[in-house]
């Protein structure tokens, strides 16, 4: 199969993946796409980077599709292979030098971080919360190894915002489903704070998704702040989130739910703190 035919097959599979009624056909097509790109990268001579990237993208998309179809455990294998392939691409691009914010490096690193974060969510759907946290922390570490996120390219900063958000979500889930130390809850708040910082820098009124993501992170951050009883800051964050979901209207339903949960947590934690020594103060310390 030639390069143009592989590209057309990839686009057909991608298009079918956007509609639930054609997911079964999309899965069949992704298997063909993966086969075609595997053959391309295993051929004699120098591996074409585009083919390698497309193989990684096809594996990643199939893993996500399997999870969406209720087969998350089956999605772990293609998702894991996607991460390995994205790592090879990222290493090859990094070896060529250049600034981390240059488009080729920005794209390669962002896709690797995204693949790790998405595989973490597939693991969670497969009933593996510990693996989820390990993978999302690995995604954060990969991003930090390249340098400070503010100096990275826009795609990497966006991916790191998601990685920090999901790290906070994973730690928060652990905190509310089993006994957790104050340090663990503070770690969740720190991750959420970092996600807020990155997503605030990416806010664009002409890009509603950026508003949605920011509101969603405010919901998680406010929950973390409620648990560490930093009520003043939690209420400030709730106010910021509510303003964003009002701008989003019906599209803001999911982050609005997180904000409502956070508001309820603030009320509950305030009630349980009555008669105690007072709120536990915590501030983000850069490190």
């Amino acid at each position: 199969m030639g390069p143009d035919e592989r590209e057309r097959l990839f686009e057909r599979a991608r298009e079918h993946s956007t509609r639930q009624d054609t997911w079964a056909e999309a899965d069949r097509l992704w298997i063909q796409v993966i086969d075609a790109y595997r053959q391309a990268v295993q051929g004699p001579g120098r591996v074409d980077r585009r083919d390698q990237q497309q193989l990684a993208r096809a594996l990643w998309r199939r893993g996500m599709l399997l999870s969406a179809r209720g087969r998350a455990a089956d999605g772990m294998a293609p998702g894991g292979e996607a991460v390995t392939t994205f790592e090879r691409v990222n290493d090859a691009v990094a070896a060529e030098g250049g600034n981390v914010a240059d488009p080729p490096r920005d794209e390669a690193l962002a896709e690797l971080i995204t693949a790790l974060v998405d595989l973490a969510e597939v693991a969670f759907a497969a009933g593996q919360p510990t693996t989820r946290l390990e993978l999302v922390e690995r995604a954060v570490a990969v991003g930090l190894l390249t340098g400070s996120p503010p100096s990275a390219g826009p795609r990497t900063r966006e991916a790191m915002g998601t990685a920090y958000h999901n790290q906070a979500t994973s730690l928060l889930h652990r905190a509310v489903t089993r006994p957790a130390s104050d340090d663990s809850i503070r770690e969740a708040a720190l991750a959420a704070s970092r996600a807020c910082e990155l997503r605030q820098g990416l806010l664009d009124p002409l890009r509603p998704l950026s508003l949605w993501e920011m509101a969603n992170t405010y919901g998680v951050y406010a929950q973390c702040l409620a648990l560490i009883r930093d009520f003043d800051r939690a209420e400030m964050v709730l106010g910021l989130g509510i303003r964003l979901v009002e701008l989003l209207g019906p599209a803001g339903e999911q982050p609005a739910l997180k904000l409502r949960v956070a508001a309820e947590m603030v009320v509950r934690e305030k009630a349980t703190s009555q008669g105690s020594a007072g709120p536990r103060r915590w501030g983000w310390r850069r490190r």
Side-chain angles (χ1 to χ4, degrees):
M1 186 181 294
D4 290 345
E5 192 177 355
R6 288 195 294 271
E7 292 280 349
R8 285 193 295 270
L9 188 60
F10 185 102
E11 285 306 310
R12 279 180 59 206
R14 188 191 59 76
E15 176 61 28
H16 279 72
S17 296
T18 62
R19 302 191 308 276
Q20 190 170 352
D21 62 325
T22 55
W23 277 357
E25 175 64 8
D27 192 19
R28 185 186 69 79
L29 289 170
W30 282 126
I31 291 170
Q32 293 181 23
V33 173
I34 290 165
D35 260 358
Y37 279 105
R38 273 212 184 101
Q39 290 178 31
V41 301
Q42 290 170 358
R46 188 170 178 269
V47 173
D48 183 274
R49 183 169 300 155
R50 172 69 179 176
D51 286 337
Q52 200 171 29
Q53 285 177 315
Q54 289 291 83
L55 172 60
R57 290 163 182 163
L59 288 161
W60 163 63
R61 287 179 179 275
R62 182 164 190 250
M64 295 295 288
L65 179 66
L66 287 169
S67 182
R69 297 186 71 198
R71 297 170 54 193
D74 294 335
M76 291 295 292
E81 189 180 347
V83 166
T84 300
T85 310
F86 278 127
E87 283 176 330
R88 292 194 191 107
V89 172
N90 184 58
D91 289 346
V93 174
E96 293 173 357
N99 191 287
V100 292
D102 290 343
R105 290 196 65 183
D106 185 30
E107 177 184 61
L109 181 57
E111 289 193 317
L112 172 56
I113 294 168
T114 299
L116 281 162
V117 169
D118 285 346
L119 182 58
E121 294 311 299
V122 173
F124 185 65
Q128 301 175 36
T130 301
T131 302
R132 175 205 205 184
L133 184 55
E134 289 170 351
L135 285 165
V136 80
E137 288 182 340
R138 183 176 157 197
V140 169
V142 164
L144 291 176
L145 281 174
T146 68
S148 172
S151 69
R155 291 188 59 176
T156 297
R157 281 184 278 122
E158 187 173 358
M160 285 294 286
T162 303
Y164 278 128
H165 172 94
N166 285 27
Q167 183 184 29
T169 301
S170 301
L171 290 164
L172 182 62
H173 177 267
R174 187 172 69 178
V176 299
T177 56
R178 67 186 192 194
S181 68
D182 282 356
D183 286 346
S184 178
I185 299 169
R186 289 170 189 271
E187 189 181 352
L190 175 62
S193 175
R194 288 175 167 166
C196 283
E197 183 180 38
L198 283 166
R199 288 186 161 176
Q200 283 164 353
L202 295 165
L203 273 177
D204 180 355
L206 298 178
R207 198 169 66 93
L209 178 60
S210 70
L211 307 183
W212 189 97
E213 290 177 335
M214 188 75 260
N216 207 36
T217 295
Y218 280 144
V220 173
Y221 190 26
Q223 290 178 50
C224 295
L225 291 169
L227 289 177
I228 62 173
R229 298 181 180 178
D230 191 343
F231 301 128
D232 289 345
R233 190 176 303 185
E235 287 167 356
M236 178 193 72
V237 169
L238 282 170
L240 293 170
I242 289 166
R243 284 198 287 274
L244 286 177
V245 297
E246 286 173 350
L247 286 172
L248 287 164
E253 182 180 353
Q254 184 175 324
L257 175 60
K258 279 196 173 77
L259 290 161
R260 287 196 295 271
V261 169
E264 290 167 4
M265 289 174 73
V266 169
V267 171
R268 185 173 65 248
E269 291 298 321
K270 271 188 174 180
T272 60
S273 70
Q274 297 301 316
S276 70
R280 294 170 285 179
R281 289 293 176 190
W282 173 86
W284 178 25
R285 180 167 53 84
R286 290 181 183 269
R287 62 181 183 181

